[in-house]
Amino acid sequence: DVIRQLEEQERASKSERYIALQAARLPDQLLDADVLRRRWSSRNGLVADSRLLDKERKARMAWSEAERQTFVERFLLFPKNWRKIAAGLEWKCPGECAYLYYTHKHRLELKPLLRQHQARRGKHDKAKAQASGGSGTPRGGKGPASSPVPGRASEWPGPASVGRP
């Protein structure tokens, strides 16, 4: 009887030990004071003083007179193509070019300048085409002037359709 009780106790202890070794250990569920003091805080882009931030940004983005002149020249060549405009300005990125445009377009009178430039350019292209013996249409127009081989104007697709499916 005593031996049977000892065997049962041994089996029970072995099974408890087996379960204890196989089961995952849970950490203590009590938090220490350090963990309780930590708080997550998010400012979500909060700007305490927007005027100061704007002054700092303007100081970083200062444009010299030569840079503004280059900007205007490149803007007339590539209207609102900020990447191409910024490519001609060594220390400016496309975002800074766009910012200058939208904050100074009235002071720099960019829209009237662009209209004048495009009108002059249109007249210049027509005069150049007529002087070269063309039909008066700018490059890419249909006719003998746009064909690289004389007499084969119908086979030449012209720049308008090149690269398009």
Side-chain angles (χ1 to χ4, degrees), residues 4-130:
R4 193 182 303 151
Q5 285 179 350
L6 288 173
E7 287 176 353
E8 284 178 23
Q9 283 178 354
E10 190 177 336
R11 280 189 211 135
S13 69
K14 284 183 180 179
S15 64
E16 286 175 11
R17 194 174 340 138
Y18 177 78
I19 291 172
L21 291 174
Q22 297 299 320
R25 285 203 71 196
L26 293 176
D28 295 337
Q29 298 299 311
L30 298 175
L31 300 175
D32 59 344
D34 235 9
V35 173
L36 289 175
R37 268 185 262 142
R38 287 187 222 140
R39 297 271 185 230
W40 180 75
S41 103
S42 170
R43 296 176 55 128
N44 285 332
L46 175 68
V47 176
D49 189 3
S50 61
R51 288 183 180 171
L52 179 65
L53 184 69
D54 196 42
K55 278 185 180 181
E56 289 173 0
R57 185 176 32 61
K58 284 180 181 178
R60 283 192 314 262
M61 292 179 26
W63 287 74
S64 69
E65 192 58 39
E67 286 176 327
R68 282 187 187 187
Q69 185 61 34
T70 305
F71 171 82
V72 170
E73 291 169 4
R74 293 192 63 85
F75 177 78
L76 294 176
L77 293 174
F78 314 109
K80 291 190 179 180
N81 191 337
W82 309 125
R83 285 185 184 154
K84 286 187 177 181
I85 293 171
L89 296 163
E90 188 175 356
W91 297 104
K92 301 298 179 187
C93 69
E96 291 171 331
C97 293
Y99 183 80
L100 177 75
Y101 171 77
Y102 287 112
T103 55
H104 292 82
K105 65 182 172 184
H106 296 294
R107 277 187 239 150
L108 296 175
E109 298 177 353
L110 292 173
K111 289 198 176 196
L113 276 175
L114 182 61
R115 275 189 233 113
Q116 290 173 359
H117 179 74
Q118 288 174 338
R120 269 190 254 133
R121 207 168 133 187
K123 289 177 187 176
H124 176 71
D125 287 346
K126 285 181 184 176
K128 188 175 179 182
Q130 286 177 351

Side-chain angles (χ1 to χ4, degrees), residues 153-165:
S154 61
E155 294 175 18
W156 177 249
S161 62
V162 171
R164 293 185 184 158

